Amino acid sequence: MTDGEADESVTRRGFLLGSAGVVAAGAAGTAAAQEDGTTTSSGENNSSSGGGGGATKTVKVGPGGDLVFDPDKLTVTPGTTVEFVWESDGHNVVPESQPEGAGWEGSGSASELFDSGHTYSHTFSTAGEYAYVCAPHKSAGMTGSITVGSASGSSEPAIPGNAKTLGIATSGALAFTLSIGYFFMKFGGDYGEAVE
């Protein structure tokens, strides 16, 4: 090396400091993704827009002529709108219990029934458990519940399981790559040096 040239080789200390910064940035990105999720108990049947408050979830009323709500259990964040969509005739959505002061009235009185194509929406802002039924089919088991806020005793992650798995796999691959790089720097051959 001459006096005018800069030393461009990577030292072990520089490599480790740079690697630590990359790993920290990856961990921060995973943590940020966890803070921005919403959780439902039956995600495959729900449509949503947005993340958190302001989302919309759909509950099918009597899909395929069955005496059920689909999904029958739903967990949402405060401010989420739940849209009930009738897919068969002769049903209603009547609240059985709700948090104090919530003021949810359902889709009408217990004697008022609606047919296929009818929709009813309500924005759930008060945290707590909401239980509801289809009044004429309650004895057949046509009941449902909505939990606004975190479900008691629930330990579901704020992000979907597949996203969490992807984050862990990516972090593992990064750690493996950095380990291989360190190994080659410490025990590798004569990189850039001429052998005579």
Side-chain angles (χ1 to χ4, degrees), residues 17 58 74 97 103 180 183:
L17 287 174
T58 301
L74 186 64
S97 65
I180 292 294
F183 176 81

Side-chain angles (χ1 to χ4, degrees), residues 85-176:
V85 178
W86 273 248
E87 293 192 355
S88 60
D89 299 341
H91 302 292
N92 59 17
V93 176
V94 178
E96 278 212 317
S97 65
Q98 59 186 300
E100 189 173 327
W104 181 40
E105 296 180 8
S107 67
S109 68
S111 61
E112 189 175 9
L113 302 178
F114 300 96
D115 293 334
S116 184
H118 178 72
T119 61
Y120 163 74
S121 297
H122 180 76
T123 301
F124 291 87
S125 300
T126 305
E129 295 281 335
Y130 296 76
Y132 59 91
V133 299
C134 172
H137 302 118
K138 178 181 176 181
S139 61
M142 194 168 178
T143 63
S145 67
I146 298 171
T147 302
V148 179
S150 60
S152 58
S154 176
S155 61
E156 290 187 59
I159 58 173
N162 57 353
K164 187 176 180 182
T165 302
L166 179 62
I168 291 170
T170 303
S171 297
L174 180 62
F176 176 75

Side-chain angles (χ1 to χ4, degrees), residues 1 3-4 7 27 39 45 49 54 57 61 66 72 77-78 93 107 131 143 149 153 155 163-164 181 188:
M1 176 164 57
D3 292 334
D7 184 12
T39 305
N45 294 318
S49 61
K57 304 292 181 183
V61 180
D66 295 334
D72 61 347
T77 57
V93 176
S107 67
T143 63
S155 61
K164 187 176 180 182

Side-chain angles (χ1 to χ4, degrees), residues 7-45:
D7 184 12
E8 295 182 17
S9 64
V10 177
T11 64
R12 277 186 245 146
R13 180 175 300 192
F15 178 79
L16 290 176
L17 287 174
S19 300
V22 170
V23 170
T30 302
Q34 287 179 335
E35 293 176 7
D36 194 28
T38 59
T39 305
T40 62
S41 61
S42 182
E44 62 274 3
N45 294 318

